[in-house]
Amino acid sequence: GVPGLAGIDTRMLTKKIRDNGALLGRIEVDLAAPVPDFGTMQNPNDRHLAAEVSLKEPKVYGKGNTTKVIGVDCGMKFNIIRQLVKRDVELTVVPWDYPFAAEMHKYD
């Protein structure tokens, strides 16, 4: 099946996440399941999530395309890369902690 949320204001949930960062919680499928012990759940705010999902080394997409752009990967979706390359962009994607400021002169 397709997961989804019902019976809550998803706009308010989005606002809470923006204001507070990732929140502890879980989606229950079995309403008869025991109440979880949230004290044993890992807090995602204690982890460096961008470092976990980011590239480890720079990678170039659309090599040779006209417009040169740098993108900092903090969980970049591949569709962003596809759409930029489709629009004649040579995209250099770098890790979240890459010292890109010294190389800005290389990009449009």
Side-chain angles (χ1 to χ4, degrees):
V2 177
L5 296 173
I8 69 165
D9 182 351
T10 55
R11 293 169 299 186
M12 182 54 68
L13 177 59
T14 300
K15 184 176 181 339
K16 284 185 178 195
I17 292 169
R18 284 185 185 144
D19 291 346
N20 301 303
L23 302 171
L24 291 179
R26 76 182 205 187
I27 298 173
E28 287 291 340
V29 177
D30 179 3
L31 298 179
V35 175
D37 178 5
F38 288 104
T40 62
M41 292 180 70
Q42 184 179 21
N43 185 343
N45 292 314
D46 292 338
R47 294 169 43 200
H48 196 309
L49 299 175
E52 290 181 29
V53 300
S54 182
L55 290 174
K56 304 305 177 215
E57 297 292 327
K59 186 167 182 178
V60 178
Y61 298 89
K63 184 90 170 146
N65 286 355
T66 307
T67 306
K68 311 296 185 226
V69 173
I70 191 168
V72 180
D73 182 16
C74 295
M76 184 182 293
K77 304 293 185 221
F78 191 71
N79 195 46
I80 293 171
I81 296 167
R82 260 197 329 267
Q83 292 299 320
L84 288 170
V85 169
K86 185 168 119 177
R87 289 166 174 79
D88 199 33
V89 168
E90 178 182 289
L91 177 64
T92 302
V93 181
V94 298
W96 69 275
D97 59 348
Y98 190 81
F100 61 87
E103 296 184 14
M104 292 302 292
H105 65 280
K106 298 179 185 177
Y107 302 96
D108 294 318

